[in-house]
Amino acid sequence: MIAEAGHIALILAFVVALLQGTIPLIGAQMNHGRAMALAERAALAQASLLLVSFALLTTVFLRSDFSVLLAAQHSHTMKPLLYKISGVWANHEGSMLLWVVILGVYGAMVPLFGKSLPLSLKARALAVQGLLGAGFIGFVLFTSNPFERLDPIPLDGMGLNPLLQDPGLAIHPPLLYIGYVGFSLAFSFAVAALIEGRVDAVWARWLRPWVLLAWSFLTLGITIGSVWAYYELGWGGWWMWDPVENVSFMPWLAGTALLHSILSLQQRHSLANWTVLLAISTFSLSMIGTFVVRSGVLVSVHAFAVDPARGVVILALLLFYTGAALALYAVRANTLQRRAQLNLVSREGGLVVNNLVLVIATATVFLGTFYPLFVEATTGEKISVGPPYFDVVFAPMMIALIAVMAIAPMLKWREDSLARYRSVLIKVAAFSAVVAVLTYFLGKSVLGALSFGFAAWLTAGTIASVHRRTGFTWSRLRAQPAGTWGFVLAHLSVAIFTVGVTAMSIGAKDDVARLAQGDSLDVAGYTFTLRGTEQGARDNFQYLAGTVDVTKEGRQVASLVTQRRYYPVREMFTSEAGFKLSPGAMLFAAIGEGGNDEGVIIRAYYQPGVLWIWIGALLMSLAGFISMADQRLRLPKRDQVSPIVAVPAE
Amino acid sequence: MRPFAFVLLLPLLMFGESSAFAQLDPAPSETSITISPENEARARALGRTLRCVVCQNQSIEESDAELAADMRTLVREALSSGSTEAEVTALMRDRYGDYVLLKPPVQGNTLVLWFAPLIAIFLGLVWFISLKRKRQSVPVEALSDEERERLEALRQS
């Protein structure tokens, strides 16, 4: 019964989404108040129905009701509670349901938080959100129904893919989806703005917190995915330029561009046209991020739920939404108001450079990810595009970005001159040069010196721009809006991130060998000695554990316990690395196969700076949340909207 | 893990032994030949740029697959016998095709891949710098006629 109720709720949500996607749209064209007002109620109803449906599916998993196919395939009575819950979305059907639930909930945020938005804008945006909902709920219902029954009922479920039985991965998909799907509001409002032929500061001011929210969650989700891959897959890598990682990185890059361009729209009413295009692109890339993984177009280690049969439907939906929005953009973009004045040296100018680099970076990742497919489809030749390509192409772009990032926030809006900043810039440059030279003498690496120099440049530049705004007086520091602190933290965390990445890519050492008890490996001055191995069983897996003692110059530094697990239900192996975290470097050991007699394979890693990569990324995410608190992003009550920002485009 | 290894494992599983771990995968970087530490370091650096051609996005240094082990051995043998990195790369490319190179060579079918980002940056730069030129030639935008009329109307009301 529970499953049927969930199914019915989903069908109702589909119907509501269809209504939400059509009636308010027509109502807005005909200026019919009640038809427009329907949008808000429909959005709330759709979200509620979806939540009910999701809650019921979760109940099915919690009760281990294996008469439901999905639970039978992905759950097991013996599974810990956390993984019974995360099992709901650790599969294709459930994760698609989660995706549409989040889409519906974002839709409901419009009536809840957008009370003072113009009625027609709200109706149109919600209609677009409804159309998105209808398409994807339809996809879930007709091709990936999570409530399908199974007969006969099996005695027990098949269990969850053991790779996914990890707290990090339990929360990774929801975070990522809250990020991806959050950009749907940007998409819907962009399409609505195109229909209305008008984008203004109210639009930007309303949208920016949602873009920030989505971006922060996406950052968090990607970071947690990276941490998970690091210790669970035992490769000792934090980013592999794997196609699936790339498709999650593209909306992040585009989203980063979007949250900067929307700032310019909000403050200066410039880049309106461009912001709308970015909003459409970012969500389109998010859809690609979610669905290309599922479609089987890209094969990767991460793609755990691939079904090419559904791929066609997915690609059709993607093409439809992206194509329709871009077509609308092509027809209507010129109706949006534009302020042509844009100066090279100004805050907007800096934002333009930011956008330029980020968009080219996005396009490059796109190109590198899909190029092998393209070449094979057109010529039949097989080529690979791997990490060495991305490293070469990406690094210069990031350096260009950082170079501008340090200066642009100091500049004034509208018009400025670099000459005014000569003394500050000389100081900042001198500091960076000192850091670079010191790095060179300590690390003997030209690239390292360059990279550390740029990190110093960014840090000093950011601090200088705080000085510029506040003079470091307490009262002015306190008076700064949250947005300032968000920017400061975000830019500083890019510097931290850069330091981590550089240290890791230059200083990391590793070795691997088959070790018998008492044997050791030397890595970067550390000695990794296998003290012993142990076999046993726990919960739903068997394990082979190795204890590796790490010493430096005879002194014990760490004792790492690493496991290789075997999950009989799935007949799969996973590895759990043993690591010692310290601010300077990560010591990391992973056990491979083997036994007491022939020895076990031990991979040993010394990785400086890796912790700072994630700290940097987490702080970036935090910075997004801080910026959201900015009072300037709150909409005034409807009657206080100043007429200046509400001038219609001619 | 590969299906082949599963087959090997099945007998072990049937006896319920936890010795399931003693399967027969070759160790990563485990090779049958002896090699000097310098050559080993070279081999690893080179190995990271070569794709394990039966794997999904793994270099031969990262992969546990048997073919990757063979490829590692091949690289080490070639380097030990005095080949340069470029020669080994060419050898691997001869044997496995362009697919083996994680860093695609600059050639006819990768021109777009390599040069599109460069061209995009160049065009972006040109466009950005042209902003200033436009600015210099166009004076500060005055009110349009329509706007002036509206301003007048407002003043008089």
Side-chain angles (χ1 to χ4, degrees), chain A residues 235 243 299-300 343-344 371 381 384 386 389 415 510-511 514 535 564 566 571 573 593-594 601 603, chain B residues 1 6 13 18 21 23 25 27-28 30 44 48 51 56-58 62 99 101-102 109 113 128 135:
Chain A
W235 299 336
V299 179
S300 123
N343 293 310
L344 201 66
Y371 199 79
E381 293 156 19
S384 298
Y389 169 81
E415 199 173 358
D510 64 277
D511 203 355
R514 192 180 284 279
Q535 297 192 1
R564 182 170 161 86
Y566 176 66
E571 299 184 359
F573 286 94
E593 42 75 31
I601 291 178
R603 285 166 179 264
Chain B
M1 213 179 79
F6 272 137
L13 298 177
S18 48
F21 297 101
Q23 47 153 316
D25 274 355
E30 204 173 41
R44 283 193 190 171
R48 291 206 171 90
R51 181 188 193 130
Q56 295 169 350
N57 286 302
Q58 280 184 309
E62 292 156 354
Y99 189 60
L101 306 176
L102 282 173
N109 64 2
L113 180 70
F128 184 65
R135 157 93 189 118

Side-chain angles (χ1 to χ4, degrees), chain A residues 437-446 448-449 506:
Chain A
V437 169
L438 277 178
T439 315
Y440 181 73
F441 280 111
L442 293 174
K444 296 280 172 239
S445 159
V446 178
I506 287 169

Side-chain angles (χ1 to χ4, degrees), chain A residues 4 10 102 128 212 258 280 293 300 328 337 401 407 462 476 486 494 542 547 632 636:
Chain A
E4 278 67 34
L10 193 59
I102 296 172
V128 178
L212 281 166
L258 176 62
I280 292 172
V293 183
S300 123
L328 186 67
Q337 192 179 29
L401 195 62
I407 311 171
T462 305
R476 281 166 74 193
V494 171
Q542 303 162 13
T547 308
R632 291 174 302 176

Side-chain angles (χ1 to χ4, degrees), chain A residues 367-538:
Chain A
L367 186 69
T369 307
F370 291 97
Y371 199 79
L373 282 176
F374 168 75
V375 168
E376 198 176 346
T378 51
T379 65
E381 293 156 19
K382 288 188 83 173
I383 64 161
S384 298
V385 179
Y389 169 81
F390 290 104
D391 289 345
V392 167
V393 182
F394 216 70
M397 293 192 201
M398 290 304 105
I399 283 186
L401 195 62
I402 288 175
V404 179
M405 255 172 108
I407 311 171
M410 283 187 237
L411 303 179
K412 288 194 219 151
W413 293 103
R414 204 182 163 88
E415 199 173 358
D416 208 338
S417 142
L418 278 180
R420 294 179 54 227
Y421 301 93
R422 186 169 294 145
S423 69
V424 181
L425 289 180
I426 287 173
K427 279 180 212 157
V428 172
F431 173 68
S432 323
V434 170
V435 170
V437 169
L438 277 178
T439 315
Y440 181 73
F441 280 111
L442 293 174
K444 296 280 172 239
S445 159
V446 178
L447 279 177
L450 190 71
S451 189
F452 272 60
F454 273 103
W457 165 257
L458 178 54
T459 309
T462 305
I463 291 169
S465 87
V466 176
H467 182 255
R468 198 110 203 143
R469 288 173 195 209
T470 66
F472 291 147
T473 60
W474 180 239
S475 59
R476 281 166 74 193
L477 279 171
R478 278 187 44 170
Q480 286 302 308
T484 301
W485 298 117
F487 127 70
V488 170
L489 184 60
H491 284 206
L492 288 180
S493 43
V494 171
I496 294 173
F497 179 85
T498 308
V499 166
V501 172
T502 310
M504 172 84 174
S505 58
I506 287 169
K509 299 271 184 294
D510 64 277
D511 203 355
V512 54
R514 192 180 284 279
L515 299 184
Q517 195 166 339
D519 286 354
S520 61
L521 265 174
D522 283 328
V523 176
Y526 290 87
T527 307
F528 290 69
T529 310
L530 180 67
R531 190 166 64 193
T533 58
E534 181 202 344
Q535 297 192 1
R538 225 177 69 199

Side-chain angles (χ1 to χ4, degrees), chain A residues 196-403:
Chain A
E196 303 237 306
R198 154 177 158 173
V199 182
D200 54 28
V202 172
W203 185 92
R205 207 190 295 177
W206 194 80
L207 208 50
R208 187 151 189 269
W210 299 106
V211 171
L212 281 166
L213 182 77
W215 181 86
S216 302
F217 271 105
L218 187 57
T219 310
L220 202 58
I222 295 175
T223 310
I224 288 182
S226 160
V227 174
W228 169 78
Y230 182 82
Y231 69 74
E232 183 76 29
L233 299 181
W235 299 336
W238 61 277
W239 189 261
M240 314 297 291
W241 293 108
D242 183 272
V244 178
E245 291 173 343
N246 292 351
V247 294
S248 74
F249 192 38
M250 286 188 276
W252 187 88
L253 286 168
T256 311
L258 176 62
L259 70 86
H260 285 91
S261 80
I262 211 168
L263 188 69
S264 166
L265 178 57
Q266 175 197 340
Q267 299 286 342
R268 287 284 305 144
H269 206 166
S270 56
L271 303 183
N273 215 309
W274 171 248
T275 302
V276 164
L277 182 60
L278 262 185
I280 292 172
S281 316
T282 305
F283 184 61
S284 299
L285 289 168
S286 295
M287 288 193 283
I288 291 176
T290 323
F291 295 108
V292 165
V293 183
R294 314 267 157 196
S295 71
V297 170
L298 291 173
V299 179
S300 123
V301 233
H302 288 58
F304 58 91
V306 164
D307 178 358
R310 291 172 180 138
V312 182
V313 183
I314 286 172
L315 291 177
L317 280 173
L318 272 179
L319 282 177
F320 171 71
Y321 288 118
T322 310
L326 290 178
L328 186 67
Y329 177 81
V331 176
R332 300 279 295 176
N334 58 354
T335 63
L336 297 180
Q337 192 179 29
R338 45 176 97 187
R339 178 101 51 105
Q341 287 261 326
L342 196 57
N343 293 310
L344 201 66
V345 182
S346 67
R347 187 85 65 83
E348 301 96 297
L351 290 172
V352 168
V353 178
N354 153 304
N355 271 240
L356 210 58
V357 176
L358 283 171
V359 166
I360 293 172
T362 313
T364 304
V365 176
F366 191 94
L367 186 69
T369 307
F370 291 97
Y371 199 79
L373 282 176
F374 168 75
V375 168
E376 198 176 346
T378 51
T379 65
E381 293 156 19
K382 288 188 83 173
I383 64 161
S384 298
V385 179
Y389 169 81
F390 290 104
D391 289 345
V392 167
V393 182
F394 216 70
M397 293 192 201
M398 290 304 105
I399 283 186
L401 195 62
I402 288 175

